[in-house]
């Protein structure tokens, strides 16, 4: 959550969030710029050229040694640090700060060959072998010991090195193996459960094991939810999700504590993947353990709204970090190589992508990776220095972005302020998509992003926050499909309406307790009183079925909806839209409940795009919220605010046409002054230091 005028009681933005360590890479001034740097892939001559080219591009921070374990320790206990010593010295001499990795992200072949027991397993028992990367079970004590030793060796060697600015723990922890079903994981799961529940009776109660003869008599009999004849116990699955996120975090914490003991003043991070598709780790739960939040983001080649998905990811990252500036640790200069069909970025797209992250709070822009590999599994993944070398668009873009980030130095430390929050919860995500539900097609993230898109299109700045976050300063709080919610979080949402704010809750929300037990008496359980409705039964739709819904007042019009409908009765709310057809003809589909001086809206169905747009318009109007400034369709407008009263208006033109907005001030990118009217070329970006 951002520290905002509108949100005075929110947690203050802190520069020293943990352990007295400043929350930013030491010695990094201005906005950060750089990428993963893997000199171990290159001969000396190239390494020398690398530093020259980094200076030319304005690089001031690189992540080093992420995948260097096998190079640094070619055989057990035999270390070869000479090349890294030299590289650290050279980077330092060039004024480039180093985010030094623990080098643990991929165990060397000698380790997995000698200790195959550290390999992780899938639910069906398949062992994930060596030869790729991340082939380790974080819970295996043997692996843990080797990783801690490697981190200790790194920290002892470089603790006094002047280039060391930040520790980069492992890499995208949980990326390839978010859930490990090995025996090591099973044993750790049992210990975690024993601690969580205290007694086997409490676990039986929480898991509802009276069903299907699943009653346990001892923790020793419990396994991870491995492949079974049919659905595994849902609460067991959910607890395994919780445990797995915590186990991965525990691995991070162990490495962090090791580094902290040796280098108490060096901040520590690990790179998150807070974006589409990554649901394994509860980053809201992880955030407090990091000194600096960093995130990796890649756009989806087949997503026409990829710039909007990018904005969602950036707003989520900022929300995870409590509004603090964060590091974009990885994105790509052009195409990636791991999607079914990859996409080369269009002219201007890389700059727009980078500055869209900056607009939403990133104070450092980094890439995977500095130099495009000549060999290995990522040789067709773009980089800052492409295969083609200097004579290329990509290199020209790399240099131009470096210049742009230098020009934007004044924005460093400024923050985004939002009047709208969207609550987002990893536990609700896990639980809502469990098997054995009314439909297998419900997608939590899709619903959140469909609503978010409508906010983005209207230029409304949105903080994506945990349902337990301080919501006291927001005028509008949107609650997409929050299937699982605690009593406390439900009360937190209700308080928004009670104090005069507007709340929108969408279908299949408030259904279960954190144990995944249904809240009896009618849906949407935890939100029934707030919303003034009672749903008696779900009516999920088949793939070919849609319904039409007609509204009045702010929702006037007829809209199409699919996938999900509910037989909903009014118990205090008023119907804003009703079903025109189908089994629920005449019954409410959208309701509004007056609560104190505020209001609580419920959408009992999944609208297609036009209906979602109308719904978001209606609740924005109810809350009195408008976009940052008026802007043509496809022009993204975001404002960052400095502590000194300065403000920076980012205007990103995602269209093929010239666009104009009202703005006054100095364009930090061009040095020209806007006096009321600002014209932005197709695909271009302006950042106005407002007067
Ligand atoms: C990330 C990873 C990098 C690189 C990149 C490619 O997931 O951290 O090492 O593989 O993807 O897009």
């Amino acid at each position: 959550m951002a520290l905002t005028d509108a949100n005075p009681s929110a947690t203050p933005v802190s520069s020293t969030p943990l352990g007295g360590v400043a929350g930013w890479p030491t010695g990094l001034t201005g906005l950060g710029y750089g990428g993963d740097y893997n000199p171990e892939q290159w001969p000396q001559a190239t390494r020398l050229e690398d530093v020259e080219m980094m200076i030319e591009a304005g690089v001031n921070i690189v992540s080093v040694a992420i995948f260097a374990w096998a190079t640094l320790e070619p055989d057990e206990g035999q270390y070869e640090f000479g090349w890294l010593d030299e590289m650290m010295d050279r980077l330092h001499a060039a004024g480039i700060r180093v985010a030094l990795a623990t080098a643990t992200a991929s165990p060397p072949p000698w380790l997995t060959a000698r200790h195959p027991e550290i390999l992780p397993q899938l639910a069906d028992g398949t062992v994930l072998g060596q030869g790729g990367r991340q082939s380790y079970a974080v819970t295996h004590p043997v692996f843990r010991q080797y990783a801690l030793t490697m981190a200790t060796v790194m920290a002892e060697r470089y603790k006094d090195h002047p280039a060391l600015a930040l520790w980069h723990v492992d890499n995208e922890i949980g990326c390839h193996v978010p859930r490990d079903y090995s025996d090591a994981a099973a044993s750790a799961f049992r210990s975690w459960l024993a601690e969580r529940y205290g007694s086997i009776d409490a676990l039986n109660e929480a898991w509802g094991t009276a069903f299907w003869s699943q009653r346990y008599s001892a923790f020793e009999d419990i396994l991870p939810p491995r492949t079974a004849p049919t659905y595994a116990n849902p609460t067991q699955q959910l607890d395994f999700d919780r445990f797995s996120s915590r186990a991965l975090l525990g691995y991070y914490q162990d490495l962090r504590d090791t580094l902290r003991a040796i280098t108490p003043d060096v901040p520590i991070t690990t790179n998150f993947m807070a974006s589409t598709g990554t649901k394994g780790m509860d980053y809201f739960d992880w955030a407090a353990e990091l000194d600096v939040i960093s995130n990796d983001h890649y756009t989806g080649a087949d997503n026409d709204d990829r710039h909007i998905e990018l904005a969602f990811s950036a707003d989520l990252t900022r929300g995870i970090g409590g509004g603090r500036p964060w590091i974009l640790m990885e994105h790509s200069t052009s195409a990636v190589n791991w999607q079914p069909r990859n996409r080369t970025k269009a002219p201007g797209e890389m700059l727009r992508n980078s500055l869209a992250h900056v607009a939403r709070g990133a104070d450092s822009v980094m890439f995977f990776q500095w130099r495009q590999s000549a060999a290995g599994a990522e040789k067709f993944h773009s980089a800052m220095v492409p295969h083609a070398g200097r004579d290329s668009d990509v290199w020209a873009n790399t240099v131009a972005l470096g210049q742009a980030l230098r020009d934007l130095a004044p924005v460093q430390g400024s923050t985004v302020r939002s009047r709208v929050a969207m609550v987002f919860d990893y536990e609700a995500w896990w639980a809502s998509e469990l098997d054995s539900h009314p439909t297998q097609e419900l997608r939590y993230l899709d619903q959140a992003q469909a609503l978010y898109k409508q906010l983005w299109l209207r230029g409304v700045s949105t903080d994506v926050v945990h349902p337990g976050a301080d919501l006291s300063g927001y005028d509008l709080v949107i609650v997409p499909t929050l299937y699982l919610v605690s009593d406390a979080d439900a009360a937190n949402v209700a308080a928004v309406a009670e104090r005069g704010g507007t709340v929108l809750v969408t279908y299949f929300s408030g259904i279960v307790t954190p144990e995944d037990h249904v809240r009896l008496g009618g849906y949407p359980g935890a939100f029934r009183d707030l919303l003034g409705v009672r749903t008696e039964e779900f009516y999920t739709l088949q793939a070919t079925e849609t319904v039409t819904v007609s509204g009045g007042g702010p929702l006037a019009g007829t809209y199409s909806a699919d996938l999900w409908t509910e037989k909903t009765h009014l118990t205090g709310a008023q119907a804003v839209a009703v079903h025109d057809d189908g089994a629920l003809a005449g019954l409410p589909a959208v309701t509004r409940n007056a609560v104190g001086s505020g209001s609580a809206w419920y959408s009992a169905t999944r609208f297609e795009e036009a209906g979602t747009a109308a719904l978001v318009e209606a609740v924005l109007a109810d809350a009195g919220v408008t976009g940052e400034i008026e802007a043509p369709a496809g022009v993204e407008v975001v404002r960052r605010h400095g502590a000194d009263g300065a403000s920076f208006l980012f205007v990103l033109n995602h269209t093929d046409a010239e666009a104009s907005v009202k703005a006054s001030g100095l364009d930090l990118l061009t040095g020209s002054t806007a006096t009321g009217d600002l014209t932005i070329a197709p695909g271009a970006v302006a950042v106005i230091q407002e007067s």
Side-chain angles (χ1 to χ4, degrees):
M1 179 188 312
L3 175 69
T4 69
D5 282 343
N7 192 8
S9 57
T11 317
V13 176
S14 165
S15 58
T16 54
L18 258 191
V21 176
W24 202 245
T26 60
L28 182 65
T29 50
L31 298 179
Y33 184 41
D36 286 13
Y37 179 38
N38 302 303
E40 64 273 27
Q41 297 176 15
W42 299 99
Q44 183 72 307
T46 313
R47 296 181 195 178
L48 289 171
E49 188 193 46
D50 281 335
V51 177
E52 269 169 43
M53 291 177 81
M54 285 179 192
I55 294 171
E56 190 179 330
V59 164
N60 58 10
I61 183 163
V62 287
S63 290
V64 180
I66 295 174
F67 295 102
W69 193 345
T71 312
L72 290 170
E73 192 183 5
D75 205 347
E76 186 162 1
Q78 291 176 20
Y79 295 104
E80 287 181 10
F81 272 102
W83 65 274
L84 186 53
D85 295 350
E86 214 176 273
M87 210 60 247
M88 292 287 284
D89 292 349
R90 215 174 281 152
L91 290 165
H92 177 62
I96 297 169
R97 310 297 298 147
V98 174
L100 189 59
T102 49
T104 49
S106 201
W110 58 257
L111 176 50
T112 43
R114 236 162 267 175
H115 290 287
E117 71 276 16
I118 70 167
L119 294 170
Q121 275 182 37
L122 300 181
D124 67 0
T126 304
V127 174
L128 301 174
Q130 69 176 46
R133 64 175 175 184
Q134 227 174 53
S135 43
Y136 55 65
V138 292
T139 52
H140 201 290
V142 170
F143 171 69
R144 187 68 72 94
Q145 196 44 55
Y146 276 97
L148 289 176
T149 301
M150 192 62 204
T152 305
V153 169
M154 291 292 279
E156 286 292 353
R157 188 157 194 107
Y158 296 108
K159 62 183 176 199
D160 296 320
H161 199 286
L164 176 62
L166 177 70
W167 285 112
H168 180 299
V169 173
D170 207 87
N171 188 62
E172 291 190 343
I173 297 171
C175 168
H176 300 298
V177 192
R179 301 289 175 266
D180 165 34
Y181 297 79
S182 66
D183 288 343
S187 154
F189 183 40
R190 287 191 280 267
S191 306
W192 182 87
L193 289 168
E195 177 139 332
R196 181 176 175 86
Y197 290 109
S199 74
I200 199 70
D201 287 347
L203 176 137
N204 279 311
E205 178 60 31
W207 285 17
T209 55
F211 188 77
W212 278 358
S213 181
Q214 292 174 347
R215 185 160 203 87
Y216 290 94
S217 51
F219 283 102
E220 291 68 53
D221 297 340
I222 297 175
L223 291 169
R226 291 179 178 155
T227 306
T230 183
Y231 306 128
N233 179 301
T235 314
Q236 176 191 12
Q237 295 190 58
L238 180 58
D239 270 349
F240 191 64
D241 286 329
R242 292 181 171 123
F243 155 76
S244 298
S245 177
R246 274 279 157 150
L248 292 161
L249 175 63
Y251 169 60
Y252 163 82
Q253 287 168 312
D254 251 13
L255 290 170
R256 178 203 59 192
D257 293 348
T258 301
L259 299 169
R260 181 80 85 221
I262 301 168
T263 57
D265 300 326
V266 179
I268 303 174
T269 192
T270 187
N271 43 345
F272 289 172
M273 298 161 281
S275 58
T276 298
T278 303
K279 77 178 210 194
M281 284 65 65
D282 181 350
Y283 290 136
F284 284 107
D285 182 40
W286 288 38
E289 305 296 320
L290 278 66
D291 298 318
V292 190
I293 299 296
S294 50
N295 195 48
D296 298 350
H297 183 267
Y298 293 93
T299 49
D302 60 353
N303 183 356
D304 291 340
D305 290 332
R306 55 191 177 277
H307 52 300
I308 303 179
E309 188 279 323
L310 181 159
F312 177 85
S313 164
D315 285 349
L316 172 59
T317 305
R318 189 179 69 252
I320 287 168
R324 284 179 278 151
W326 48 278
I327 295 176
L328 175 64
M329 187 63 87
E330 290 181 20
H331 70 315
S332 67
T333 56
S334 191
V336 302
N337 71 324
W338 44 261
Q339 296 175 8
R341 291 181 184 220
N342 301 289
R343 182 189 286 277
T344 300
K345 289 194 179 176
E349 189 172 359
M350 185 269 252
L351 183 79
R352 285 200 308 283
N353 289 169
S354 297
L355 298 190
H357 285 289
V358 175
R360 294 171 189 278
D363 270 3
S364 192
V365 172
M366 300 173 72
F367 290 92
F368 175 82
Q369 60 179 329
W370 164 252
R371 187 181 282 276
Q372 188 169 11
S373 302
E378 296 189 302
K379 57 184 171 298
F380 295 115
H381 189 295
S382 62
M384 298 170 81
V385 182
H387 288 159
R390 283 174 193 271
D391 186 12
S392 60
D393 291 343
V394 168
W395 175 247
N397 292 340
T398 296
V399 173
L401 176 59
Q403 184 58 52
L405 293 171
R406 282 197 295 281
D407 294 340
L408 293 181
V411 309
Q412 197 208 343
S414 59
T415 54
V416 177
R417 299 176 183 175
S418 306
R419 294 176 62 194
V420 177
M422 173 176 287
V423 304
F424 191 85
D425 184 24
Y426 286 89
E427 292 203 358
W429 187 357
W430 299 333
S432 64
E433 294 180 6
L434 283 170
D435 47 27
S436 67
H437 275 199
T439 169
Q440 287 304 297
E441 311 219 342
L442 181 144
R443 291 288 171 273
Y444 177 71
L445 190 64
D446 287 357
Q447 177 61 14
Q449 291 186 340
L451 292 159
Y452 179 88
K453 176 179 177 181
Q454 297 308 323
L455 296 164
W456 188 97
L457 288 173
R458 287 158 183 77
V460 173
S461 176
T462 303
D463 292 346
V464 182
V465 302
H466 188 268
D470 180 354
L471 301 176
S472 61
Y474 296 107
D475 295 312
L476 172 62
V477 172
I478 296 189
V479 184
T481 301
L482 197 66
Y483 163 76
L484 173 150
V485 65
S486 67
D487 292 348
D489 289 354
N492 194 40
V493 169
V496 173
E498 283 152 13
R499 65 154 169 81
T502 302
V503 174
L504 167 64
V505 177
T506 68
Y507 60 92
F508 205 41
S509 281
I511 307 300
V512 296
T513 64
E515 292 75 37
D516 198 35
H517 291 201
V518 172
R519 294 172 180 276
L520 302 177
Y523 316 121
F527 296 118
R528 224 164 38 217
D529 290 345
L530 168 69
L531 299 169
V533 297
R534 190 176 68 87
T535 289
E536 61 171 290
E537 211 172 348
F538 305 128
Y539 283 64
T540 50
L541 303 179
Q542 299 306 304
T544 52
E545 288 176 326
T546 57
V547 293
T548 60
V549 165
S550 292
L555 216 57
T558 296
Y559 308 99
S560 178
D562 66 2
L563 187 71
W564 194 280
T565 58
E566 300 182 2
K567 186 168 193 179
T568 299
H569 304 284
L570 304 174
T571 58
Q574 298 201 321
V576 183
V578 295
H579 289 272
D580 295 328
D581 50 14
L584 303 177
L587 290 179
V590 179
T591 60
R592 179 184 184 278
N593 194 27
V595 182
S597 55
S599 63
W601 294 63
Y602 185 52
S603 172
T605 186
R606 185 176 86 167
F607 279 108
E608 292 179 346
E609 187 152 359
T612 306
L615 184 64
V616 169
E617 283 266 301
V619 294
L620 283 170
D622 201 2
V625 175
T626 54
E628 203 66 44
I629 62 168
E630 236 174 85
V635 176
E636 180 174 6
V637 178
V638 192
R639 205 175 248 128
R640 285 182 63 160
H641 298 264
D644 53 1
S647 64
F648 305 93
L649 186 71
F650 285 71
V651 187
L652 300 99
N653 184 356
H654 295 284
T655 75
D656 295 334
E658 197 173 80
S660 326
V661 297
K662 297 273 175 231
S664 294
L666 174 69
D667 184 345
L668 293 172
L669 296 176
T670 61
S672 59
T673 303
T675 51
D677 287 309
L678 172 73
T679 304
I680 313 126
V685 184
V687 181
I688 306 296
Q689 181 161 17
E690 295 178 297
S691 41

